[in-house]
mmCIF file of all heavy atoms in Angstrom:
data_model
loop_
_atom_site.group_PDB
_atom_site.id
_atom_site.type_symbol
_atom_site.label_atom_id
_atom_site.label_comp_id
_atom_site.label_asym_id
_atom_site.label_seq_id
_atom_site.Cartn_x
_atom_site.Cartn_y
_atom_site.Cartn_z
ATOM 1 N N VAL U 36 50.133 -1.594 -15.082
ATOM 2 C CA VAL U 36 51.295 -0.773 -15.431
ATOM 3 C C VAL U 36 52.149 -1.525 -16.454
ATOM 4 O O VAL U 36 52.487 -2.692 -16.234
ATOM 5 C CB VAL U 36 52.126 -0.450 -14.182
ATOM 6 C CG1 VAL U 36 53.396 0.320 -14.557
ATOM 7 C CG2 VAL U 36 51.298 0.352 -13.192
ATOM 8 N N PRO U 37 52.494 -0.906 -17.577
ATOM 9 C CA PRO U 37 53.247 -1.609 -18.636
ATOM 10 C C PRO U 37 54.663 -1.973 -18.206
ATOM 11 O O PRO U 37 55.413 -1.129 -17.705
ATOM 12 C CB PRO U 37 53.260 -0.606 -19.801
ATOM 13 C CG PRO U 37 53.050 0.729 -19.153
ATOM 14 C CD PRO U 37 52.173 0.485 -17.958
ATOM 15 N N LEU U 38 55.012 -3.238 -18.412
ATOM 16 C CA LEU U 38 56.343 -3.752 -18.087
ATOM 17 C C LEU U 38 57.165 -4.022 -19.340
ATOM 18 O O LEU U 38 58.390 -4.014 -19.298
ATOM 19 C CB LEU U 38 56.232 -5.045 -17.279
ATOM 20 C CG LEU U 38 55.459 -4.978 -15.959
ATOM 21 C CD1 LEU U 38 55.331 -6.370 -15.364
ATOM 22 C CD2 LEU U 38 56.154 -4.037 -14.976
ATOM 23 N N SER U 39 56.486 -4.301 -20.458
ATOM 24 C CA SER U 39 57.166 -4.637 -21.711
ATOM 25 C C SER U 39 56.295 -4.197 -22.867
ATOM 26 O O SER U 39 55.057 -4.239 -22.765
ATOM 27 C CB SER U 39 57.434 -6.148 -21.773
ATOM 28 O OG SER U 39 57.968 -6.510 -23.025
ATOM 29 N N LEU U 40 56.949 -3.784 -23.966
ATOM 30 C CA LEU U 40 56.198 -3.260 -25.115
ATOM 31 C C LEU U 40 57.022 -3.455 -26.375
ATOM 32 O O LEU U 40 58.205 -3.129 -26.407
ATOM 33 C CB LEU U 40 55.901 -1.774 -24.898
ATOM 34 C CG LEU U 40 55.108 -0.995 -25.922
ATOM 35 C CD1 LEU U 40 54.453 0.215 -25.234
ATOM 36 C CD2 LEU U 40 55.964 -0.494 -27.079
ATOM 37 N N ILE U 41 56.391 -3.986 -27.414
ATOM 38 C CA ILE U 41 56.997 -4.023 -28.739
ATOM 39 C C ILE U 41 55.927 -3.651 -29.758
ATOM 40 O O ILE U 41 54.722 -3.754 -29.482
ATOM 41 C CB ILE U 41 57.617 -5.397 -29.079
ATOM 42 C CG1 ILE U 41 56.525 -6.457 -29.211
ATOM 43 C CG2 ILE U 41 58.667 -5.804 -28.064
ATOM 44 C CD1 ILE U 41 57.047 -7.754 -29.810
ATOM 45 N N VAL U 42 56.363 -3.228 -30.940
ATOM 46 C CA VAL U 42 55.456 -2.829 -32.017
ATOM 47 C C VAL U 42 55.752 -3.678 -33.246
ATOM 48 O O VAL U 42 56.918 -3.879 -33.612
ATOM 49 C CB VAL U 42 55.616 -1.334 -32.349
ATOM 50 C CG1 VAL U 42 54.774 -0.962 -33.573
ATOM 51 C CG2 VAL U 42 55.213 -0.475 -31.157
ATOM 52 N N THR U 43 54.679 -4.188 -33.886
ATOM 53 C CA THR U 43 54.806 -4.985 -35.097
ATOM 54 C C THR U 43 53.740 -4.558 -36.091
ATOM 55 O O THR U 43 52.931 -3.663 -35.815
ATOM 56 C CB THR U 43 54.635 -6.484 -34.800
ATOM 57 O OG1 THR U 43 53.269 -6.721 -34.385
ATOM 58 C CG2 THR U 43 55.580 -6.954 -33.712
ATOM 59 N N GLY U 44 53.721 -5.227 -37.236
ATOM 60 C CA GLY U 44 52.629 -5.030 -38.178
ATOM 61 C C GLY U 44 51.341 -5.615 -37.631
ATOM 62 O O GLY U 44 51.352 -6.540 -36.800
ATOM 63 N N ALA U 45 50.211 -5.104 -38.092
ATOM 64 C CA ALA U 45 48.920 -5.552 -37.578
ATOM 65 C C ALA U 45 48.632 -7.008 -37.919
ATOM 66 O O ALA U 45 47.813 -7.653 -37.260
ATOM 67 C CB ALA U 45 47.798 -4.658 -38.120
ATOM 68 N N ASN U 46 49.282 -7.528 -38.938
ATOM 69 C CA ASN U 46 49.026 -8.901 -39.368
ATOM 70 C C ASN U 46 49.871 -9.930 -38.625
ATOM 71 O O ASN U 46 49.804 -11.128 -38.932
ATOM 72 C CB ASN U 46 49.277 -9.035 -40.873
ATOM 73 C CG ASN U 46 50.698 -8.644 -41.261
ATOM 74 O OD1 ASN U 46 51.322 -7.807 -40.611
ATOM 75 N ND2 ASN U 46 51.203 -9.246 -42.322
ATOM 76 N N VAL U 47 50.658 -9.503 -37.645
ATOM 77 C CA VAL U 47 51.497 -10.423 -36.871
ATOM 78 C C VAL U 47 50.674 -11.011 -35.725
ATOM 79 O O VAL U 47 50.129 -10.268 -34.913
ATOM 80 C CB VAL U 47 52.745 -9.708 -36.322
ATOM 81 C CG1 VAL U 47 53.558 -10.651 -35.438
ATOM 82 C CG2 VAL U 47 53.596 -9.180 -37.466
ATOM 83 N N ASN U 48 50.601 -12.323 -35.676
ATOM 84 C CA ASN U 48 49.850 -12.993 -34.613
ATOM 85 C C ASN U 48 50.492 -12.725 -33.252
ATOM 86 O O ASN U 48 51.713 -12.700 -33.120
ATOM 87 C CB ASN U 48 49.798 -14.494 -34.901
ATOM 88 C CG ASN U 48 48.953 -15.243 -33.899
ATOM 89 O OD1 ASN U 48 49.435 -15.647 -32.850
ATOM 90 N ND2 ASN U 48 47.680 -15.440 -34.221
ATOM 91 N N ASP U 49 49.641 -12.563 -32.238
ATOM 92 C CA ASP U 49 50.148 -12.269 -30.893
ATOM 93 C C ASP U 49 51.144 -13.323 -30.418
ATOM 94 O O ASP U 49 52.175 -13.003 -29.825
ATOM 95 C CB ASP U 49 48.984 -12.180 -29.901
ATOM 96 C CG ASP U 49 48.130 -10.945 -30.117
ATOM 97 O OD1 ASP U 49 48.624 -9.997 -30.750
ATOM 98 O OD2 ASP U 49 46.975 -10.932 -29.656
ATOM 99 N N GLY U 50 50.828 -14.588 -30.675
ATOM 100 C CA GLY U 50 51.683 -15.666 -30.194
ATOM 101 C C GLY U 50 53.067 -15.665 -30.814
ATOM 102 O O GLY U 50 54.026 -16.160 -30.205
ATOM 103 N N LYS U 51 53.220 -15.101 -32.018
ATOM 104 C CA LYS U 51 54.513 -15.086 -32.702
ATOM 105 C C LYS U 51 55.516 -14.169 -32.017
ATOM 106 O O LYS U 51 56.717 -14.294 -32.228
ATOM 107 C CB LYS U 51 54.333 -14.651 -34.160
ATOM 108 C CG LYS U 51 53.476 -15.589 -35.001
ATOM 109 C CD LYS U 51 54.101 -16.971 -35.118
ATOM 110 C CE LYS U 51 53.276 -17.866 -36.024
ATOM 111 N NZ LYS U 51 53.860 -19.239 -36.105
ATOM 112 N N ARG U 52 55.035 -13.229 -31.230
ATOM 113 C CA ARG U 52 55.926 -12.293 -30.538
ATOM 114 C C ARG U 52 55.897 -12.497 -29.025
ATOM 115 O O ARG U 52 56.390 -11.669 -28.273
ATOM 116 C CB ARG U 52 55.535 -10.851 -30.876
ATOM 117 C CG ARG U 52 55.793 -10.470 -32.325
ATOM 118 C CD ARG U 52 57.285 -10.474 -32.623
ATOM 119 N NE ARG U 52 57.587 -10.009 -33.968
ATOM 120 C CZ ARG U 52 57.691 -10.792 -35.030
ATOM 121 N NH1 ARG U 52 57.522 -12.105 -34.884
ATOM 122 N NH2 ARG U 52 57.968 -10.296 -36.224
ATOM 123 N N LEU U 53 55.329 -13.614 -28.582
ATOM 124 C CA LEU U 53 55.198 -13.864 -27.147
ATOM 125 C C LEU U 53 56.556 -13.907 -26.455
ATOM 126 O O LEU U 53 56.770 -13.249 -25.427
ATOM 127 C CB LEU U 53 54.440 -15.182 -26.929
ATOM 128 C CG LEU U 53 54.327 -15.670 -25.483
ATOM 129 C CD1 LEU U 53 53.619 -14.642 -24.623
ATOM 130 C CD2 LEU U 53 53.590 -17.006 -25.442
ATOM 131 N N ASP U 54 57.480 -14.676 -27.005
ATOM 132 C CA ASP U 54 58.796 -14.796 -26.376
ATOM 133 C C ASP U 54 59.513 -13.455 -26.346
ATOM 134 O O ASP U 54 60.166 -13.110 -25.349
ATOM 135 C CB ASP U 54 59.635 -15.828 -27.140
ATOM 136 C CG ASP U 54 60.986 -16.054 -26.496
ATOM 137 O OD1 ASP U 54 61.027 -16.575 -25.368
ATOM 138 O OD2 ASP U 54 62.009 -15.705 -27.115
ATOM 139 N N GLU U 55 59.382 -12.683 -27.415
ATOM 140 C CA GLU U 55 60.034 -11.375 -27.475
ATOM 141 C C GLU U 55 59.481 -10.432 -26.422
ATOM 142 O O GLU U 55 60.230 -9.690 -25.766
ATOM 143 C CB GLU U 55 59.854 -10.779 -28.878
ATOM 144 C CG GLU U 55 60.611 -9.492 -29.100
ATOM 145 C CD GLU U 55 60.462 -8.985 -30.518
ATOM 146 O OE1 GLU U 55 59.930 -9.723 -31.377
ATOM 147 O OE2 GLU U 55 60.890 -7.835 -30.772
ATOM 148 N N VAL U 56 58.163 -10.453 -26.236
ATOM 149 C CA VAL U 56 57.543 -9.572 -25.245
ATOM 150 C C VAL U 56 57.970 -9.969 -23.829
ATOM 151 O O VAL U 56 58.332 -9.115 -23.010
ATOM 152 C CB VAL U 56 56.005 -9.618 -25.365
ATOM 153 C CG1 VAL U 56 55.351 -8.788 -24.263
ATOM 154 C CG2 VAL U 56 55.558 -9.094 -26.726
ATOM 155 N N LEU U 57 57.942 -11.261 -23.534
ATOM 156 C CA LEU U 57 58.305 -11.714 -22.189
ATOM 157 C C LEU U 57 59.793 -11.509 -21.905
ATOM 158 O O LEU U 57 60.195 -11.433 -20.742
ATOM 159 C CB LEU U 57 57.949 -13.192 -22.025
ATOM 160 C CG LEU U 57 56.456 -13.533 -22.089
ATOM 161 C CD1 LEU U 57 56.244 -15.028 -21.902
ATOM 162 C CD2 LEU U 57 55.666 -12.745 -21.053
ATOM 163 N N SER U 58 60.600 -11.416 -22.952
ATOM 164 C CA SER U 58 62.041 -11.220 -22.777
ATOM 165 C C SER U 58 62.420 -9.749 -22.683
ATOM 166 O O SER U 58 63.572 -9.429 -22.374
ATOM 167 C CB SER U 58 62.808 -11.860 -23.935
ATOM 168 O OG SER U 58 62.566 -13.251 -24.009
ATOM 169 N N ALA U 59 61.477 -8.854 -22.978
ATOM 170 C CA ALA U 59 61.792 -7.424 -23.069
ATOM 171 C C ALA U 59 61.302 -6.639 -21.866
ATOM 172 O O ALA U 59 61.109 -5.426 -21.965
ATOM 173 C CB ALA U 59 61.185 -6.850 -24.352
ATOM 174 N N ILE U 60 61.094 -7.295 -20.726
ATOM 175 C CA ILE U 60 60.644 -6.585 -19.526
ATOM 176 C C ILE U 60 61.697 -5.550 -19.132
ATOM 177 O O ILE U 60 62.891 -5.844 -19.067
ATOM 178 C CB ILE U 60 60.382 -7.581 -18.377
ATOM 179 C CG1 ILE U 60 59.238 -8.526 -18.752
ATOM 180 C CG2 ILE U 60 60.046 -6.836 -17.088
ATOM 181 C CD1 ILE U 60 58.932 -9.561 -17.693
ATOM 182 N N MET U 61 61.257 -4.327 -18.852
ATOM 183 C CA MET U 61 62.170 -3.218 -18.635
ATOM 184 C C MET U 61 62.897 -3.290 -17.299
ATOM 185 O O MET U 61 63.996 -2.763 -17.155
ATOM 186 C CB MET U 61 61.405 -1.890 -18.727
ATOM 187 C CG MET U 61 60.807 -1.624 -20.097
ATOM 188 S SD MET U 61 62.045 -1.579 -21.408
ATOM 189 C CE MET U 61 62.989 -0.150 -20.923
ATOM 190 N N VAL U 62 62.286 -3.889 -16.299
ATOM 191 C CA VAL U 62 62.929 -4.041 -14.988
ATOM 192 C C VAL U 62 62.931 -5.512 -14.627
ATOM 193 O O VAL U 62 61.977 -6.230 -14.913
ATOM 194 C CB VAL U 62 62.215 -3.215 -13.905
ATOM 195 C CG1 VAL U 62 62.425 -1.734 -14.123
ATOM 196 C CG2 VAL U 62 60.730 -3.534 -13.851
ATOM 197 N N LYS U 63 63.995 -5.963 -14.020
ATOM 198 C CA LYS U 63 64.121 -7.359 -13.674
ATOM 199 C C LYS U 63 63.614 -7.616 -12.261
ATOM 200 O O LYS U 63 63.861 -6.837 -11.344
ATOM 201 C CB LYS U 63 65.574 -7.820 -13.806
ATOM 202 C CG LYS U 63 66.136 -7.659 -15.215
ATOM 203 C CD LYS U 63 65.286 -8.445 -16.229
ATOM 204 C CE LYS U 63 65.855 -8.272 -17.642
ATOM 205 N NZ LYS U 63 65.018 -8.971 -18.655
ATOM 206 N N ARG U 64 62.919 -8.722 -12.108
ATOM 207 C CA ARG U 64 62.393 -9.118 -10.809
ATOM 208 C C ARG U 64 63.269 -10.224 -10.232
ATOM 209 O O ARG U 64 63.733 -11.104 -10.955
ATOM 210 C CB ARG U 64 60.964 -9.644 -10.966
ATOM 211 C CG ARG U 64 60.330 -10.156 -9.684
ATOM 212 C CD ARG U 64 59.105 -10.989 -9.996
ATOM 213 N NE ARG U 64 58.398 -11.371 -8.791
ATOM 214 C CZ ARG U 64 57.393 -12.235 -8.741
ATOM 215 N NH1 ARG U 64 56.992 -12.809 -9.859
ATOM 216 N NH2 ARG U 64 56.800 -12.535 -7.607
ATOM 217 N N LYS U 65 63.467 -10.162 -8.931
ATOM 218 C CA LYS U 65 64.175 -11.248 -8.277
ATOM 219 C C LYS U 65 63.349 -12.525 -8.396
ATOM 220 O O LYS U 65 62.120 -12.478 -8.362
ATOM 221 C CB LYS U 65 64.410 -10.908 -6.809
ATOM 222 C CG LYS U 65 65.356 -9.740 -6.588
ATOM 223 C CD LYS U 65 65.565 -9.484 -5.109
ATOM 224 C CE LYS U 65 66.504 -8.304 -4.886
ATOM 225 N NZ LYS U 65 66.705 -8.028 -3.441
ATOM 226 N N ALA U 66 64.012 -13.629 -8.539
ATOM 227 C CA ALA U 66 63.317 -14.907 -8.703
ATOM 228 C C ALA U 66 62.378 -15.133 -7.527
ATOM 229 O O ALA U 66 62.810 -15.079 -6.366
ATOM 230 C CB ALA U 66 64.321 -16.042 -8.799
ATOM 231 N N PRO U 67 61.081 -15.347 -7.796
ATOM 232 C CA PRO U 67 60.133 -15.573 -6.696
ATOM 233 C C PRO U 67 60.459 -16.861 -5.959
ATOM 234 O O PRO U 67 60.931 -17.833 -6.564
ATOM 235 C CB PRO U 67 58.778 -15.666 -7.409
ATOM 236 C CG PRO U 67 59.112 -16.071 -8.797
ATOM 237 C CD PRO U 67 60.443 -15.457 -9.102
ATOM 238 N N PRO U 68 60.243 -16.905 -4.648
ATOM 239 C CA PRO U 68 60.570 -18.103 -3.880
ATOM 240 C C PRO U 68 59.722 -19.306 -4.250
ATOM 241 O O PRO U 68 60.173 -20.438 -4.142
ATOM 242 C CB PRO U 68 60.321 -17.673 -2.425
ATOM 243 C CG PRO U 68 59.359 -16.531 -2.529
ATOM 244 C CD PRO U 68 59.694 -15.831 -3.811
ATOM 245 N N LEU U 69 58.499 -19.049 -4.702
ATOM 246 C CA LEU U 69 57.598 -20.132 -5.061
ATOM 247 C C LEU U 69 57.087 -19.920 -6.476
ATOM 248 O O LEU U 69 56.791 -18.793 -6.881
ATOM 249 C CB LEU U 69 56.415 -20.197 -4.086
ATOM 250 C CG LEU U 69 56.757 -20.452 -2.614
ATOM 251 C CD1 LEU U 69 55.518 -20.335 -1.754
ATOM 252 C CD2 LEU U 69 57.399 -21.823 -2.443
#
């Protein structure tokens, strides 16, 4: 189930948008205990 989504140009490396994708999660999760 999709939690985060962004759109870029096809020539953008996946790793260059990693932080943006991980920061754009639509719902926040409580900090896991472990």
Side-chain angles (χ1 to χ4, degrees):
V36 176
L38 302 174
S39 174
L40 181 156
I41 67 169
V42 174
T43 67
N46 58 331
V47 176
N48 184 273
D49 290 340
K51 297 297 183 182
R52 292 294 185 269
L53 174 59
D54 183 66
E55 186 177 350
V56 175
L57 295 180
S58 300
I60 296 179
M61 296 301 295
V62 290
K63 300 302 180 183
R64 177 196 186 189
K65 294 181 181 179
L69 299 174

